[in-house]
Amino acid sequence: MKVTISEVGKHVGEKVTIGVWLTNKRSSGKIQFLQLRDGTGFIQGVMLKKEVEENVWDVAKELTQESSLYVTGTVQADDRAPSGYELTVEDVSVIHTAEDYPITPKEHGTEFLMDHRHLWIRSKRQHAILRIRSEIINAMYEFFHQNGFVKVDPPILTPTSAEGTTNLFHTKYFDEDAYLSQSGQLYMEAAAMALGKVFSFGPTFRAEKSKTRRHLIEFWMIEPEMAFVDHEENLEIQENFVTYVTQAVLNNCRQELEVLERDLTKLENVQAPFPRITYDDAIELLQEKGHEIKWGEDFGAPDETAIAEHFDKPVFITHYPTEIKAFYMKPDPEREDVVLCADLIAPEGYGEIIGGSQRIDDPALLEERFKEHELSEEAYQWYLDLRKYGSVPHSGFGLGLERTVAWMTGTEHVRETIPFPRLLNRLYP
Ligand code: 4AD
Ligand code: MG
């Protein structure tokens, strides 16, 4: 019977056939150990010379790394094997012989691996990261569907900016200028006025000249937007959401977390409610620690890490200065110089994973902001309409998928958390 490696547990003692690639091989004169993978998992095949036909033994001996083949054998339960199973191989049939596979079991430099990203994703670590990424996406959809949200897809080609004009990706739209979406938020606000609670998930683009371990040029963002929801309620939804996703990864990705040697206690701690600290208090804390930062400045990565160190859960930093935040954020009615916003900072130095806020609902104030930010009122006419026709308090947030994957998998650099990263100096492969 043809099965996948993920299914072998249901076939202990049975003879099965699996389509696989050979990742590595060890042999003595009498026994060959074949390391096999099929995309669903990894398993060791054991071939005993005295148990197989001579030509089968010889074919196995000639197998090269990443050659594809069908193996037939009997599934054995084996406590010592990472997957819990082993295959006693009785027959092999080669599909394709790979020659000189560039990524060998020895160490390779990052640039070399990035040049071979299309092959690198086959390796055990990358396989585990990409599976966890998929689980996170699945859990995110689950959470929003369970909580009455409707999935809405905002456009990618847009006539204006959503998050400031400094990092827009410009392109031509026939005779007009267009930009790749930095965020679907503004469209999601329109959708929330139509459907109540909505979320989007898609690629977003920032032509940022930053070369840090947290920045991608193209990254994926999940963006919920909710009518009749204020700042405080927005934070509660975020902490419940992040808790749900973390627990799903813990429950459904044990093997992958083990491959990555992730410290599970760090993730087990992630339970709502999350601690909150105001921007004012964060500045004070940083100054006490000797950081060179003044009120009114944005946090750099080392600042965020220093704040995160105080907590063993993600922490919300709330009420940033109006000056340094996006034009659409609602000022705190008690204090106009700060806005009703929060960034969620992941533990262990993985940085900001969520940016969110309550939105301005007063049309006059919004018009004022367009002027201050030198945004063409004409281009945002439709957005202003949302405040003219039944304006309501509303809030939303955006979670960066790759930074979240980096945090949950314990991966140093976001380049390993997306199948084909777009970086400052990389568009290949
Ligand atoms: O904080 P940002 O810029 O917020 C927005 O775009 C809002 N419009 C979201 C909303 O309220 N609907 O981005 C949100 C998140 C960040 O917290 C970060 O996790 C991620 O997106 N992010 C990036 N991830 C990788 N590379 C980059 N260059 C990123 N820029 C932002
Ligand atoms: Mg932000």
Side-chain angles (χ1 to χ4, degrees), residues 163 206 298 325 329 343 352 354-356 403:
E163 289 295 316
R206 309 261 170 112
D298 209 350
K325 283 295 186 185
M329 292 189 183
D343 283 356
E352 177 201 322
I354 291 184
R403 289 190 195 172

Side-chain angles (χ1 to χ4, degrees), residues 139-385:
M140 293 193 313
Y141 273 66
E142 246 172 42
F143 177 87
F144 289 117
H145 283 142
Q146 282 171 18
N147 286 281
F149 285 70
V150 177
K151 170 81 168 27
V152 169
D153 306 309
I156 305 265
L157 287 165
T158 61
T160 52
S161 85
E163 289 295 316
T165 49
T166 52
N167 59 18
L168 280 172
F169 240 117
H170 176 251
T171 183
K172 286 310 270 189
Y173 191 77
F174 306 109
D175 294 334
E176 285 178 67
D177 286 311
Y179 309 95
L180 299 184
S181 175
Q182 296 168 304
S183 155
Q185 182 196 316
L186 307 189
Y187 295 96
M188 296 308 286
E189 289 183 54
M193 302 304 140
L195 296 153
K197 293 197 282 185
V198 293
F199 74 102
S200 66
F201 179 58
T204 44
F205 306 85
R206 309 261 170 112
E208 268 170 310
K209 294 263 152 85
S210 336
K211 207 174 167 186
T212 80
R213 65 187 186 91
R214 295 175 183 174
H215 284 89
L216 292 161
I217 305 299
E218 178 180 306
F219 66 97
W220 286 66
M221 185 153 49
I222 187 130
E223 294 189 276
E225 193 69 31
M226 300 150 286
F228 308 106
V229 164
D230 65 18
H231 169 65
E232 195 50 45
E233 295 164 324
N234 192 19
L235 299 196
E236 277 169 33
I237 291 160
Q238 291 174 47
E239 61 197 4
N240 289 334
F241 168 55
V242 172
T243 301
Y244 183 89
V245 173
T246 312
Q247 296 309 313
V249 168
L250 275 168
N251 291 334
N252 304 330
C253 302
R254 283 289 157 153
Q255 270 192 30
E256 288 80 6
L257 291 167
E258 220 163 272
V259 167
L260 299 166
E261 296 173 350
R262 184 70 174 109
D263 181 350
L264 299 185
T265 58
K266 295 270 201 298
L267 296 179
E268 281 158 359
N269 266 335
V270 180
Q271 296 280 359
F274 296 164
R276 286 141 209 230
I277 174 174
T278 62
Y279 172 90
D280 289 1
D281 289 345
I283 289 288
E284 209 169 290
L285 182 84
L286 290 169
Q287 287 172 343
E288 276 166 22
K289 287 176 159 250
H291 287 233
E292 291 273 331
I293 189 164
K294 292 192 292 292
W295 199 95
E297 290 173 358
D298 209 350
F299 301 123
D303 303 319
E304 284 176 357
T305 302
I307 296 163
E309 269 171 12
H310 278 257
F311 307 93
D312 56 2
K313 291 181 185 184
V315 52
F316 287 114
I317 306 179
T318 69
H319 301 84
Y320 281 71
T322 311
E323 283 281 302
I324 57 170
K325 283 295 186 185
F327 74 90
Y328 51 72
M329 292 189 183
K330 187 181 171 74
D332 184 343
E334 328 236 290
R335 233 187 105 183
E336 300 280 309
D337 63 335
V338 297
V339 280
L340 298 175
C341 74
D343 283 356
L344 184 67
I345 313 299
E348 305 170 73
Y350 291 97
E352 177 201 322
I353 52 169
I354 291 184
S357 67
Q358 188 167 343
R359 322 305 191 186
I360 290 175
D361 45 30
D362 170 20
L365 179 59
L366 193 57
E367 280 179 285
E368 219 175 277
R369 288 284 192 268
F370 287 148
K371 291 200 183 77
E372 286 164 18
H373 289 257
E374 294 175 4
L375 298 168
S376 139
E377 225 177 275
E378 199 191 343
Y380 290 91
Q381 201 52 52
W382 68 269
Y383 185 67
L384 199 56
D385 275 356

